[in-house]
Amino acid sequence: MIGDEAIVVNKLLRWAEWKMGSGVQLGYKSHVNFLKLAGGSGWHDESIDSECLLTDEAVEQLPIMHKELIRLEYLGTLKDEQFKARAFFDGSVRSWRQWKHDAHNKIANYLKIRLTMLPISEHNSSNLSNCVQMTQQADYISSSY
């Protein structure tokens, strides 16, 4: 699970950058006027948006304590683990790391499940083709007798 956890951490780092870049402006304009007239703020990759949306969905499905830990870890301003552990609960860095490891595993499991699920349209079309095949086989078998 170590490799999976590293993948999840990288996804969460991109998610945090995406989340912080698309949210609250604290009352300030997000772009100066001449950038708006010039046609935008630069490069935009939709694949990163879709990955971050999926990661955001995974974070949102976490139990409340794990969700708050992930938010504190990736969206918070505290840098030291001791301060994060104190802000979160009893101050034990060991407990903080265990809870973080558990949250990463829950996210990895959720993302694996989401990647293996077929969209409804593909599921329906595969069922339809199976039904057609079974009907054709039944017709063939009944006509051969």
Side-chain angles (χ1 to χ4, degrees):
M1 196 68 158
I2 299 296
D4 288 344
E5 191 167 4
I7 291 169
V8 168
V9 168
N10 285 326
K11 285 181 182 290
L12 286 169
L13 289 171
R14 286 190 295 274
W15 167 79
E17 185 178 336
W18 174 81
K19 193 88 163 162
M20 295 302 283
S22 64
V24 179
Q25 310 300 326
L26 300 175
Y28 298 102
K29 288 184 176 182
S30 59
H31 303 291
V32 291
N33 289 336
F34 77 87
L35 276 178
K36 289 181 181 179
L37 292 174
S41 62
W43 179 72
H44 181 73
D45 186 1
E46 289 183 15
S47 66
I48 294 205
D49 280 348
S50 63
E51 177 189 324
C52 290
L53 285 170
L54 188 59
T55 305
D56 192 49
E57 188 180 303
V59 169
E60 289 300 317
Q61 64 82 35
L62 289 173
I64 191 73
M65 292 295 282
H66 288 100
K67 187 187 317 184
E68 292 306 315
L69 181 138
I70 291 296
R71 288 181 178 161
L72 184 61
E73 174 71 17
Y74 294 96
L75 301 176
T77 57
L78 297 173
K79 298 296 180 198
D80 186 64
E81 273 188 321
Q82 184 67 39
F83 292 135
K84 290 177 188 177
R86 244 187 250 139
F88 189 63
F89 46 76
D90 66 357
S92 167
V93 174
R94 182 175 177 216
S95 296
W96 170 263
R97 289 179 183 162
Q98 184 59 49
W99 276 77
K100 186 168 65 169
H101 176 73
D102 292 345
H104 288 158
N105 286 337
K106 288 178 185 297
I107 291 172
N109 289 336
Y110 182 81
L111 292 174
K112 281 182 188 174
I113 290 169
R114 287 284 288 144
L115 289 175
T116 58
M117 288 174 47
L118 281 176
I120 298 275
S121 60
E122 289 180 27
H123 178 70
N124 288 341
S125 66
S126 67
N127 280 344
L128 179 62
S129 66
N130 287 341
C131 290
V132 169
Q133 277 183 330
M134 289 169 59
T135 305
Q136 289 172 347
Q137 288 173 351
D139 290 343
Y140 176 74
I141 291 170
S142 65
S143 67
S144 63
Y145 286 114

